[in-house]
Amino acid sequence: MIDIDPNGTGLPGIEQLRTIVGAVMTVGLILAVLALIVSAIVWAYGSNSSNPHLSGRGKIGVLISCGAAVICGAAVTLVNFFWNVGQAV
């Protein structure tokens, strides 16, 4: 039987990599907020100018940016969940 667990000290630079991943998650959340703001503006402008194509693109942008924020925020939890599912197999 083989028993292997993740090793947080096995390679140099693991802590720096964790810091980089956290920074990338922060940038992803900031970009999701920016996309939400821009999409809401496009949606409002399209609705106000009676442009259904622009309004629809704004709505889709709002949904996608909210989805991106959820995925960025839940990334660690999702990976841990699937790690635990894989360990139970």
Side-chain angles (χ1 to χ4, degrees):
M1 181 163 126
I2 298 174
D3 188 22
I4 301 173
D5 290 322
N7 185 354
T9 60
L11 292 172
I14 295 294
E15 276 305 314
Q16 290 81 7
L17 187 59
R18 285 184 181 153
T19 303
I20 291 169
V21 169
V24 170
M25 286 175 62
T26 302
V27 169
L29 288 171
I30 290 169
L31 291 176
V33 170
L34 177 64
L36 179 65
I37 292 168
V38 170
S39 297
I41 291 170
V42 168
W43 184 4
Y45 180 74
S47 295
N48 193 33
S49 64
S50 298
N51 187 338
H53 179 72
L54 201 58
S55 178
R57 291 291 182 172
K59 288 178 192 177
I60 291 172
V62 165
L63 291 175
I64 290 173
S65 62
C66 287
V70 167
I71 291 172
C72 282
V76 174
T77 304
L78 286 170
V79 169
N80 285 334
F81 171 76
F82 286 110
W83 170 262
N84 290 330
V85 168
Q87 292 299 306
V89 172

